[in-house]
Amino acid sequence: MSAPATILPGATLGVLGGGQLGRMFVQSAQAMGYFTAVLDADPTSPAGLVSHHHIRTGYEDREGLEALRRLCAAVTTEFENVPAASLNQLAAHMPVSPAGSAVSIAQDRAAEKAHFVRCGVPCAPYAVIETEAQLAAVSPSLLPGILKTARMGYDGKGQVRVKDAAELATAWQQLGRVACVLEKMLPLAHECSVIVARGRDGSIVNLPVQRNLHRDGILAVTEVYEGNLPAAQVEQALAAAKSVADGLDYVGVLCVEFFVLQDGMLVVNEIAPRPHNSGHYSQNACDVSQFELQVRCMTGLPLTQPRQHSPSIMLNLLGDLWFARDGKESDQPVAPAWDQVLALPGCHLHLYGKRDAKRGRKMGHLNVTGATVEQVRATALRAAEILGIAAF
């Protein structure tokens, strides 16, 4: 396919996946004047409910993909486990970003680690385990470690901490003897991430580096402001993220997650070939959000360097909050006290339109902005207190 022309507002843009990231992409595209189409089998998917078109089929359904092709001028994805073959099928007819080749690497931890090595980006020492022989050959220097399934793992799923060879063997059995990656456990100080957007012409821009706090393997808090990380770490993270994107010949929005070690060294953890939970603050704290960048990448519009105009803290809102009231657990979900939260200055509530609250389910996020870091932090802590979120 020859290089496509810029796709201007008025065209229809498609997204594979109907979750909250797809919903926010759709809302951003619509604000810019595009029509939208979502392919997702769930009739109540958050993105499908707000899109002009909702194709209710699975990601591999040929008729559904053909319907998406007929409707759209370009297609993206909001979910890294969309089959790369489906993206490749669409790419024969229109711009698809990110490409199936990049998504397939992000879907496989072993391929992902190998890509980091090729790019010269440091990652945790690791070993691939696919056979009994590879299990037996694991170096003791990698223990204690974390055994992760090579495919279909996210938000802490498909991961087991192991102290020694016996625990490693048991964990591999528990995970079904599927292909896994064993990563050496490192002395972590905290975590951070970078979101970059890379255009068809190789131009690249980035959001500020985000400092992240995870709880039970799920992102809980993101803090973004001048000085949230030392300048040297910020430069290292940006350089590494851009190297990873360039190495993939990536087009689209890419999140690169890092561990910051106690000695200040950064090692890359994983990539997400899409907008990311840690970039949600950009909706209210930056002049260009990660979702607008996604639209610009897929349409060939110019990429402008986002500018952060306010310090910001993002709180992830899980379904657990619906079951906690006045410090007590409840069996029946009750809506949190949004009125009290929204009485606080600089609080921006984003709920995802999911009908049923479930523990551990991402229901929304709260972006807090303000004139100073101190003000933002005080407000975010007060909001967390109202909602029953642990202090940070």
Side-chain angles (χ1 to χ4, degrees), residues 156-378:
K157 297 178 177 65
Q159 301 184 14
V160 183
R161 296 191 176 204
V162 294
K163 296 194 193 83
D164 52 36
E167 286 191 4
L168 173 61
T170 300
W172 191 51
Q173 293 287 341
Q174 290 173 343
L175 292 173
R177 296 166 60 91
V178 299
C180 289
V181 172
L182 174 67
E183 295 178 10
K184 179 180 176 65
M185 286 186 66
L186 299 172
L188 302 187
H190 50 264
E191 299 177 54
C192 69
S193 59
V194 180
I195 289 170
V196 297
R198 190 174 184 275
R200 299 173 188 165
D201 60 356
S203 61
I204 192 164
V205 299
N206 61 275
L207 290 174
V209 179
Q210 299 124 195
R211 178 169 174 152
N212 302 323
L213 170 66
H214 287 78
R215 291 172 174 154
D216 299 323
I218 300 175
L219 182 66
V221 182
T222 293
E223 300 180 71
V224 193
Y225 46 81
E226 190 81 27
N228 64 342
L229 291 166
Q233 289 179 2
V234 168
E235 290 179 14
Q236 185 182 350
L238 289 174
K242 291 175 181 179
S243 176
V244 168
D246 285 338
L248 291 169
D249 197 18
Y250 196 84
V251 177
V253 170
L254 177 73
C255 180
V256 184
E257 297 183 71
F258 297 89
F259 294 134
V260 182
L261 306 187
Q262 291 176 5
D263 62 4
M265 180 181 174
L266 264 67
V267 295
V268 65
N269 175 27
E270 61 186 8
I271 58 175
R274 51 170 173 77
H276 191 261
N277 208 163
S278 65
H280 289 343
Y281 73 96
S282 63
Q283 293 170 300
N284 300 109
C286 298
D287 60 357
V288 181
S289 76
Q290 63 173 341
F291 300 103
E292 182 174 335
L293 290 174
Q294 187 178 19
V295 174
R296 287 175 179 244
C297 286
M298 69 186 297
T299 58
L301 288 171
L303 294 178
T304 59
Q305 176 60 41
R307 296 174 296 179
Q308 184 176 2
H309 52 69
S310 303
S312 185
I313 293 177
M314 187 279 299
L315 304 180
N316 212 6
L317 305 175
L318 301 181
D320 306 62
L321 304 182
W322 275 250
F323 296 91
R325 197 73 173 176
D326 300 324
K328 299 177 182 178
E329 285 291 315
S330 169
D331 291 332
Q332 296 299 318
V334 177
W338 302 128
D339 53 342
Q340 295 181 40
V341 171
L342 293 174
L344 302 173
C347 283
H348 312 272
L349 180 63
H350 299 262
L351 294 178
Y352 302 150
K354 297 181 180 180
R355 295 184 177 179
D356 298 318
K358 298 177 182 178
R359 290 177 174 86
R361 191 181 197 189
K362 293 177 181 176
M363 300 296 293
H365 63 271
L366 184 74
N367 290 334
V368 181
T369 59
T372 67
V373 174
E374 293 75 18
Q375 182 185 61
V376 169
R377 188 167 182 80

